[in-house]
Coordinates of all heavy atoms in Angstrom, one line a residue:
M56 N 132.4 -17.4 158.3 CA 132.5 -18.4 157.4 C 132.0 -19.7 158.0 O 131.3 -20.5 157.3 CB 133.9 -18.5 156.9 CG 134.2 -19.5 155.8 SD 133.6 -18.7 154.3 CE 134.6 -19.5 153.1
Q57 N 132.3 -20.0 159.2 CA 131.9 -21.2 159.9 C 130.3 -21.3 160.0 O 129.8 -22.3 159.9 CB 132.5 -21.3 161.3 CG 132.2 -22.6 162.0 CD 132.9 -23.8 161.4 OE1 133.8 -23.6 160.6 NE2 132.4 -24.9 161.7
K58 N 129.7 -20.1 160.3 CA 128.2 -20.1 160.5 C 127.6 -20.5 159.1 O 126.5 -21.1 159.1 CB 127.8 -18.7 160.9 CG 128.1 -18.5 162.4 CD 127.6 -17.1 162.8 CE 128.0 -16.9 164.2 NZ 127.5 -15.6 164.7
R59 N 128.1 -20.0 158.0 CA 127.6 -20.3 156.7 C 127.7 -21.8 156.4 O 126.8 -22.4 155.9 CB 128.3 -19.5 155.7 CG 127.5 -19.4 154.4 CD 128.2 -18.4 153.5 NE 128.8 -19.2 152.4 CZ 129.7 -18.7 151.6 NH1 130.2 -17.5 151.8 NH2 130.2 -19.5 150.7
G60 N 128.8 -22.5 156.8 CA 128.9 -23.9 156.6 C 127.9 -24.7 157.5 O 127.4 -25.7 157.0
I61 N 127.7 -24.3 158.7 CA 126.7 -24.9 159.5 C 125.3 -24.8 159.0 O 124.5 -25.7 159.0 CB 126.8 -24.4 161.0 CG1 128.1 -24.8 161.6 CG2 125.6 -24.9 161.8 CD1 128.4 -24.2 163.0
F62 N 125.0 -23.6 158.5 CA 123.7 -23.3 157.9 C 123.4 -24.3 156.7 O 122.4 -24.9 156.6 CB 123.6 -21.9 157.4 CG 122.4 -21.6 156.5 CD1 121.1 -21.5 157.1 CD2 122.5 -21.5 155.2 CE1 120.0 -21.2 156.4 CE2 121.4 -21.2 154.4 CZ 120.1 -21.1 155.0
W63 N 124.4 -24.4 155.8 CA 124.3 -25.3 154.6 C 124.2 -26.8 155.0 O 123.5 -27.5 154.4 CB 125.3 -25.1 153.6 CG 125.1 -23.8 152.8 CD1 125.7 -22.7 152.9 CD2 124.0 -23.6 151.9 NE1 125.2 -21.7 152.1 CE2 124.1 -22.3 151.5 CE3 122.9 -24.4 151.4 CZ2 123.2 -21.8 150.5 CZ3 122.1 -23.9 150.5 CH2 122.2 -22.6 150.1
F64 N 124.9 -27.1 156.1 CA 124.9 -28.5 156.6 C 123.5 -28.8 157.1 O 122.9 -29.9 156.8 CB 125.9 -28.7 157.7 CG 125.7 -30.0 158.4 CD1 126.1 -31.2 157.8 CD2 125.1 -30.1 159.7 CE1 125.9 -32.4 158.4 CE2 124.9 -31.3 160.3 CZ 125.3 -32.5 159.7
I65 N 122.9 -27.9 157.8 CA 121.5 -28.1 158.3 C 120.5 -28.2 157.1 O 119.6 -29.0 157.1 CB 121.1 -27.0 159.3 CG1 121.9 -27.2 160.6 CG2 119.6 -27.0 159.6 CD1 121.8 -26.1 161.6
I66 N 120.6 -27.3 156.1 CA 119.8 -27.4 155.0 C 119.9 -28.7 154.3 O 118.9 -29.4 153.9 CB 120.1 -26.2 154.0 CG1 119.8 -24.9 154.6 CG2 119.3 -26.4 152.7 CD1 118.3 -24.7 155.0
Y67 N 121.1 -29.2 154.0 CA 121.3 -30.5 153.4 C 120.7 -31.6 154.3 O 120.1 -32.6 153.8 CB 122.8 -30.8 153.2 CG 123.4 -30.2 151.9 CD1 124.2 -29.1 152.0 CD2 123.1 -30.7 150.7 CE1 124.7 -28.5 150.8 CE2 123.6 -30.2 149.5 CZ 124.4 -29.1 149.6 OH 124.9 -28.5 148.5
L68 N 120.9 -31.5 155.6 CA 120.4 -32.5 156.5 C 118.8 -32.6 156.5 O 118.3 -33.7 156.4 CB 120.8 -32.2 157.9 CG 120.4 -33.2 159.0 CD1 121.2 -34.5 158.8 CD2 120.7 -32.7 160.4
V69 N 118.2 -31.4 156.5 CA 116.7 -31.4 156.4 C 116.2 -32.0 155.1 O 115.3 -32.8 155.1 CB 116.2 -30.0 156.6 CG1 114.7 -29.8 156.2 CG2 116.5 -29.5 158.0
F70 N 116.8 -31.6 154.0 CA 116.3 -32.2 152.7 C 116.6 -33.7 152.6 O 115.8 -34.5 152.1 CB 116.9 -31.5 151.5 CG 116.2 -30.2 151.2 CD1 116.6 -29.0 151.7 CD2 115.1 -30.3 150.4 CE1 115.9 -27.8 151.4 CE2 114.4 -29.1 150.0 CZ 114.8 -27.9 150.5
G71 N 117.8 -34.1 153.2 CA 118.1 -35.5 153.1 C 117.2 -36.4 154.0 O 116.7 -37.4 153.5
V72 N 116.8 -35.9 155.2 CA 115.9 -36.6 156.0 C 114.5 -36.6 155.4 O 113.8 -37.6 155.4 CB 115.8 -35.9 157.4 CG1 114.7 -36.4 158.2 CG2 117.1 -36.2 158.2
Y73 N 114.1 -35.5 154.7 CA 112.8 -35.5 154.0 C 112.8 -36.5 152.9 O 111.8 -37.2 152.8 CB 112.6 -34.1 153.4 CG 111.2 -33.9 152.8 CD1 110.1 -33.7 153.6 CD2 111.0 -34.1 151.4 CE1 108.8 -33.6 153.0 CE2 109.8 -34.0 150.9 CZ 108.7 -33.8 151.6 OH 107.5 -33.7 151.1
F74 N 113.9 -36.6 152.1 CA 113.9 -37.6 151.0 C 113.8 -39.0 151.6 O 113.1 -39.9 151.0 CB 115.1 -37.4 150.2 CG 115.0 -36.2 149.2 CD1 116.2 -35.7 148.8 CD2 113.9 -35.7 148.8 CE1 116.2 -34.6 147.9 CE2 113.8 -34.6 148.0 CZ 115.0 -34.1 147.5
I75 N 114.6 -39.3 152.6 CA 114.6 -40.6 153.2 C 113.2 -40.9 153.8 O 112.7 -42.0 153.6 CB 115.7 -40.8 154.3 CG1 117.0 -40.7 153.7 CG2 115.5 -42.0 155.1 CD1 118.2 -40.6 154.7
N76 N 112.6 -39.9 154.5 CA 111.3 -40.1 155.1 C 110.2 -40.3 154.0 O 109.3 -41.0 154.2 CB 110.9 -38.9 155.9 CG 109.7 -39.1 156.7 OD1 109.6 -40.2 157.4 ND2 108.8 -38.2 156.7
S77 N 110.4 -39.7 152.8 CA 109.4 -39.9 151.8 C 109.3 -41.4 151.3 O 108.3 -41.8 150.9 CB 109.6 -39.0 150.6 OG 110.8 -39.4 149.9
S78 N 110.4 -42.1 151.4 CA 110.4 -43.5 151.1 C 110.0 -44.4 152.2 O 109.2 -45.4 152.0 CB 111.8 -43.9 150.6 OG 112.2 -43.2 149.5
F79 N 110.4 -44.2 153.4 CA 110.2 -45.1 154.5 C 109.2 -44.6 155.5 O 108.8 -45.4 156.4 CB 111.5 -45.4 155.2 CG 112.5 -46.1 154.3 CD1 113.7 -45.4 153.9 CD2 112.3 -47.4 153.9 CE1 114.6 -46.0 153.1 CE2 113.2 -48.0 153.1 CZ 114.4 -47.4 152.7
N80 N 108.7 -43.4 155.5 CA 107.7 -42.8 156.4 C 108.1 -43.0 157.9 O 107.3 -43.6 158.6 CB 106.3 -43.4 156.1 CG 105.9 -43.0 154.7 OD1 106.1 -41.8 154.3 ND2 105.2 -43.8 154.0
F81 N 109.3 -42.6 158.3 CA 109.6 -42.6 159.7 C 108.8 -41.6 160.5 O 108.4 -41.9 161.6 CB 111.1 -42.2 159.9 CG 112.1 -43.2 159.3 CD1 113.0 -42.9 158.4 CD2 112.0 -44.6 159.7 CE1 113.9 -43.8 157.8 CE2 112.9 -45.5 159.2 CZ 113.8 -45.1 158.3
I82 N 108.6 -40.4 159.9 CA 108.0 -39.3 160.6 C 106.7 -39.0 159.8 O 106.7 -38.9 158.6 CB 108.9 -38.1 160.7 CG1 110.2 -38.4 161.3 CG2 108.2 -36.9 161.4 CD1 111.3 -37.4 161.1
I83 N 105.6 -38.7 160.5 CA 104.4 -38.3 159.9 C 104.6 -36.8 159.5 O 104.8 -35.9 160.4 CB 103.2 -38.5 160.8 CG1 103.0 -40.0 161.0 CG2 101.9 -37.9 160.1 CD1 102.0 -40.3 162.0
I84 N 104.4 -36.4 158.3 CA 104.6 -35.1 157.8 C 103.2 -34.4 157.7 O 102.3 -35.0 157.1 CB 105.3 -35.0 156.5 CG1 106.7 -35.6 156.7 CG2 105.4 -33.6 155.9 CD1 107.5 -35.7 155.4
P85 N 103.0 -33.2 158.3 CA 101.7 -32.6 158.2 C 101.4 -32.3 156.7 O 102.2 -32.1 155.9 CB 101.9 -31.2 159.0 CG 103.2 -31.4 159.7 CD 104.0 -32.5 159.1
E86 N 100.1 -32.2 156.5 CA 99.6 -32.0 155.1 C 100.0 -30.7 154.6 O 100.1 -30.5 153.4 CB 98.1 -32.2 155.1 CG 97.5 -32.3 153.7 CD 96.1 -32.7 153.6 OE1 95.7 -33.5 154.5 OE2 95.4 -32.3 152.7
V87 N 100.2 -29.7 155.4 CA 100.6 -28.4 155.0 C 101.9 -28.5 154.2 O 102.1 -27.9 153.2 CB 100.7 -27.4 156.2 CG1 101.3 -26.1 155.7 CG2 99.3 -27.2 156.8
I88 N 102.9 -29.2 154.8 CA 104.2 -29.4 154.2 C 104.0 -30.3 152.9 O 104.7 -30.1 151.9 CB 105.2 -30.0 155.2 CG1 105.4 -29.0 156.3 CG2 106.5 -30.3 154.5 CD1 106.2 -29.5 157.4
S89 N 103.2 -31.3 153.0 CA 103.0 -32.3 151.9 C 102.4 -31.6 150.7 O 102.6 -32.0 149.5 CB 102.1 -33.4 152.3 OG 102.7 -34.2 153.3
N90 N 101.7 -30.4 150.8 CA 101.2 -29.7 149.7 C 102.3 -29.1 148.8 O 102.1 -28.9 147.7 CB 100.3 -28.6 150.2 CG 99.0 -29.1 150.8 OD1 98.6 -30.2 150.5 ND2 98.4 -28.3 151.6
Y91 N 103.5 -28.9 149.4 CA 104.7 -28.4 148.7 C 105.7 -29.4 148.3 O 106.8 -29.1 148.1 CB 105.3 -27.3 149.6 CG 104.4 -26.1 149.9 CD1 103.8 -26.0 151.1 CD2 104.2 -25.2 148.9 CE1 103.0 -24.9 151.4 CE2 103.3 -24.1 149.2 CZ 102.8 -24.0 150.4 OH 101.9 -22.9 150.7
N92 N 105.2 -30.7 148.2 CA 106.1 -31.8 148.0 C 106.9 -31.6 146.7 O 108.1 -31.9 146.7 CB 105.3 -33.1 147.9 CG 106.2 -34.3 147.9 OD1 107.2 -34.3 148.5 ND2 105.7 -35.3 147.3
Q93 N 106.3 -31.1 145.6 CA 107.0 -31.0 144.3 C 108.1 -29.9 144.5 O 109.2 -30.1 143.9 CB 106.0 -30.6 143.2 CG 105.1 -31.8 142.9 CD 104.1 -31.3 141.8 OE1 103.8 -30.2 141.6 NE2 103.6 -32.3 141.1
W94 N 107.8 -28.8 145.2 CA 108.8 -27.8 145.3 C 110.0 -28.3 146.2 O 111.1 -27.9 146.0 CB 108.2 -26.5 145.9 CG 107.4 -25.8 144.9 CD1 106.0 -25.7 144.9 CD2 107.9 -25.0 143.8 NE1 105.7 -25.0 143.8 CE2 106.8 -24.5 143.1 CE3 109.2 -24.7 143.4 CZ2 106.9 -23.7 142.0 CZ3 109.3 -23.9 142.3 CH2 108.2 -23.4 141.6
I95 N 109.6 -29.0 147.2 CA 110.7 -29.5 148.1 C 111.6 -30.5 147.4 O 112.8 -30.4 147.5 CB 110.1 -30.2 149.4 CG1 109.3 -29.2 150.2 CG2 111.1 -31.0 150.2 CD1 108.5 -29.8 151.3
I96 N 111.1 -31.3 146.5 CA 111.9 -32.3 145.7 C 112.7 -31.5 144.7 O 113.9 -31.8 144.5 CB 111.0 -33.3 145.1 CG1 110.4 -34.2 146.1 CG2 111.7 -34.1 144.0 CD1 109.4 -35.2 145.6
F97 N 112.1 -30.4 144.1 CA 112.9 -29.6 143.2 C 114.1 -28.9 143.9 O 115.2 -29.0 143.3 CB 111.9 -28.5 142.6 CG 112.6 -27.5 141.7 CD1 113.0 -27.9 140.5 CD2 112.8 -26.2 142.2 CE1 113.6 -26.9 139.6 CE2 113.5 -25.3 141.4 CZ 113.8 -25.7 140.1
F98 N 113.9 -28.3 145.0 CA 115.0 -27.6 145.7 C 116.0 -28.7 146.2 O 117.2 -28.4 146.2 CB 114.5 -26.7 146.8 CG 113.9 -25.5 146.3 CD1 112.6 -25.2 146.6 CD2 114.6 -24.6 145.5 CE1 112.0 -24.0 146.1 CE2 114.0 -23.4 145.1 CZ 112.7 -23.1 145.3
G99 N 115.5 -29.8 146.6 CA 116.4 -30.9 147.1 C 117.3 -31.4 145.9 O 118.5 -31.6 146.1
G100 N 116.7 -31.5 144.8 CA 117.5 -31.9 143.6 C 118.6 -30.9 143.3 O 119.7 -31.2 142.9
I101 N 118.2 -29.6 143.4 CA 119.2 -28.5 143.1 C 120.3 -28.6 144.2 O 121.5 -28.5 143.8 CB 118.5 -27.1 143.2 CG1 117.7 -27.0 141.9 CG2 119.6 -26.0 143.3 CD1 116.8 -25.7 141.9
L102 N 120.0 -28.9 145.4 CA 121.0 -29.0 146.5 C 121.9 -30.2 146.2 O 123.1 -30.1 146.4 CB 120.4 -29.1 147.8 CG 119.8 -27.8 148.4 CD1 119.1 -28.1 149.7 CD2 120.9 -26.8 148.6
I103 N 121.3 -31.3 145.7 CA 122.1 -32.5 145.4 C 123.1 -32.1 144.2 O 124.3 -32.5 144.3 CB 121.3 -33.7 145.0 CG1 120.5 -34.2 146.3 CG2 122.1 -34.8 144.4 CD1 119.5 -35.2 146.0
L104 N 122.6 -31.4 143.2 CA 123.5 -31.0 142.1 C 124.7 -30.1 142.6 O 125.8 -30.3 142.3 CB 122.7 -30.3 141.1 CG 121.8 -31.1 140.2 CD1 121.0 -30.3 139.3 CD2 122.6 -32.2 139.5
F105 N 124.3 -29.1 143.5 CA 125.4 -28.3 144.1 C 126.4 -29.1 144.9 O 127.6 -28.8 144.8 CB 124.8 -27.2 144.9 CG 124.2 -26.0 144.2 CD1 123.1 -25.3 144.7 CD2 124.7 -25.6 143.0 CE1 122.6 -24.3 144.0 CE2 124.1 -24.6 142.3 CZ 123.1 -23.9 142.8
G106 N 125.9 -30.0 145.6 CA 126.8 -30.9 146.4 C 127.7 -31.7 145.5 O 128.9 -31.8 145.8
G107 N 127.2 -32.2 144.4 CA 128.0 -33.0 143.5 C 129.1 -32.1 142.9 O 130.3 -32.5 142.7
L108 N 128.7 -30.8 142.5 CA 129.7 -29.9 141.9 C 130.7 -29.5 142.9 O 131.9 -29.4 142.6 CB 128.9 -28.7 141.4 CG 128.1 -28.9 140.1 CD1 127.3 -27.6 139.8 CD2 128.9 -29.3 139.0
N109 N 130.3 -29.3 144.1 CA 131.3 -28.9 145.2 C 132.3 -30.1 145.5 O 133.4 -29.9 145.7 CB 130.6 -28.5 146.5 CG 130.1 -27.1 146.4 OD1 130.6 -26.3 145.6 ND2 129.0 -26.8 147.1
H110 N 131.7 -31.3 145.4 CA 132.6 -32.5 145.6 C 133.6 -32.6 144.5 O 134.8 -32.8 144.7 CB 131.7 -33.7 145.7 CG 132.5 -35.0 145.9 ND1 133.1 -35.3 147.1 CD2 132.8 -36.0 145.0 CE1 133.7 -36.4 146.9 NE2 133.5 -36.9 145.7
F111 N 133.1 -32.4 143.3 CA 134.0 -32.4 142.1 C 135.1 -31.3 142.2 O 136.3 -31.6 141.9 CB 133.2 -32.3 140.8 CG 134.1 -32.2 139.6 CD1 134.7 -33.3 139.1 CD2 134.2 -31.0 138.9 CE1 135.5 -33.3 138.0 CE2 135.0 -31.0 137.7 CZ 135.6 -32.1 137.3
R112 N 134.7 -30.1 142.6 CA 135.6 -29.0 142.7 C 136.6 -29.3 143.9 O 137.8 -29.0 143.7 CB 134.8 -27.7 143.0 CG 135.6 -26.5 142.8 CD 134.8 -25.3 143.0 NE 134.4 -25.2 144.4 CZ 133.5 -24.4 144.9 NH1 132.9 -23.5 144.1 NH2 133.2 -24.3 146.1
A113 N 136.2 -29.9 144.9 CA 137.1 -30.2 146.0 C 138.1 -31.2 145.6 O 139.3 -31.1 146.0 CB 136.3 -30.7 147.3
I114 N 137.7 -32.2 144.9 CA 138.7 -33.3 144.4 C 139.7 -32.6 143.5 O 140.9 -32.9 143.5 CB 137.9 -34.4 143.7 CG1 137.2 -35.2 144.7 CG2 138.9 -35.3 142.9 CD1 136.3 -36.3 144.1
R115 N 139.2 -31.8 142.6 CA 140.1 -31.1 141.6 C 141.1 -30.2 142.3 O 142.3 -30.2 142.0 CB 139.3 -30.3 140.6 CG 140.1 -29.8 139.4 CD 139.3 -29.2 138.4 NE 138.8 -27.9 139.0 CZ 137.8 -27.2 138.5 NH1 137.2 -27.7 137.3 NH2 137.4 -26.2 139.0
N116 N 140.7 -29.5 143.4 CA 141.6 -28.6 144.1 C 142.6 -29.5 144.9 O 143.7 -29.1 145.1 CB 140.8 -27.7 145.1 CG 140.1 -26.6 144.3 OD1 140.4 -26.3 143.2 ND2 139.1 -26.0 144.9
K117 N 142.1 -30.6 145.4 CA 143.0 -31.5 146.2 C 144.1 -32.0 145.3 O 145.3 -32.1 145.6 CB 142.2 -32.6 146.8 CG 143.0 -33.6 147.7 CD 142.2 -34.6 148.3 CE 143.0 -35.6 149.1 NZ 142.2 -36.7 149.6
K118 N 143.8 -32.4 144.0 CA 144.8 -32.9 143.1 C 145.8 -31.8 142.7 O 146.9 -32.0 142.6 CB 144.1 -33.4 141.8 CG 143.4 -34.8 142.0 CD 142.8 -35.2 140.7 CE 142.1 -36.5 140.9 NZ 141.4 -36.9 139.7
K119 N 145.3 -30.6 142.6 CA 146.1 -29.4 142.3 C 147.1 -29.2 143.4 O 148.3 -28.9 143.2 CB 145.2 -28.2 142.1 CG 145.6 -27.3 140.9 CD 144.8 -26.1 140.9 CE 143.6 -26.3 140.1 NZ 142.8 -25.0 139.9
Y120 N 146.6 -29.3 144.6 CA 147.5 -29.1 145.8 C 148.6 -30.2 145.9 O 149.7 -29.9 146.2 CB 146.6 -29.1 147.1 CG 147.4 -29.0 148.3 CD1 148.0 -27.7 148.7 CD2 147.7 -30.0 149.2 CE1 148.8 -27.6 149.8 CE2 148.4 -29.9 150.3 CZ 149.0 -28.7 150.6 OH 149.7 -28.6 151.8
I121 N 148.2 -31.4 145.6 CA 149.1 -32.5 145.7 C 150.2 -32.4 144.6 O 151.4 -32.6 144.9 CB 148.4 -33.9 145.6 CG1 147.5 -34.1 146.8 CG2 149.4 -35.0 145.4 CD1 146.6 -35.3 146.7
T122 N 149.8 -32.0 143.4 CA 150.8 -31.9 142.4 C 151.7 -30.7 142.5 O 152.8 -30.7 142.0 CB 150.1 -31.9 141.0 OG1 149.2 -30.8 140.9 CG2 149.4 -33.2 140.7
S123 N 151.3 -29.6 143.2 CA 152.1 -28.4 143.3 C 153.0 -28.5 144.5 O 153.9 -27.7 144.6 CB 151.2 -27.2 143.4 OG 150.5 -27.3 144.6
S124 N 152.9 -29.5 145.3 CA 153.7 -29.6 146.5 C 155.1 -30.2 146.2 O 155.3 -30.9 145.4 CB 153.1 -30.5 147.6 OG 151.9 -30.0 148.0

């Protein structure tokens, strides 16, 4: 279970750095990766949606735990 959490953290980190870099150009990205820019933004958007849903679910579970105690 812990390995899966680290894997998703790294995926979120890579996409987050890519999005930040697309605005400020900290790192020069090779053209091979730039050719897939639309797909990278698409999958990054999906990850952001999943992150938001997980955040919402975590808040709801926390409220459930607090009220049941």
Side-chain angles (χ1 to χ4, degrees):
M56 189 76 155
Q57 185 68 17
K58 289 183 181 179
R59 201 170 106 198
I61 291 171
F62 170 76
W63 283 110
F64 171 74
I65 291 172
I66 295 295
Y67 277 108
L68 183 69
V69 167
F70 277 94
V72 169
Y73 184 83
F74 286 156
I75 291 171
N76 189 49
S77 68
S78 297
F79 296 110
N80 293 322
F81 293 123
I82 304 166
I83 298 173
I84 298 177
E86 192 168 331
V87 172
I88 296 173
S89 295
N90 291 338
Y91 297 104
N92 191 32
Q93 292 177 335
W94 285 105
I95 293 170
I96 291 173
F97 175 74
F98 286 119
I101 289 173
L102 286 174
I103 290 170
L104 290 174
F105 283 149
L108 290 173
N109 284 332
H110 180 71
F111 176 71
R112 196 173 67 187
I114 289 173
R115 192 174 64 194
N116 289 340
K117 184 178 179 183
K118 286 180 182 178
K119 224 186 272 187
Y120 176 73
I121 291 172
T122 57
S123 66
S124 299

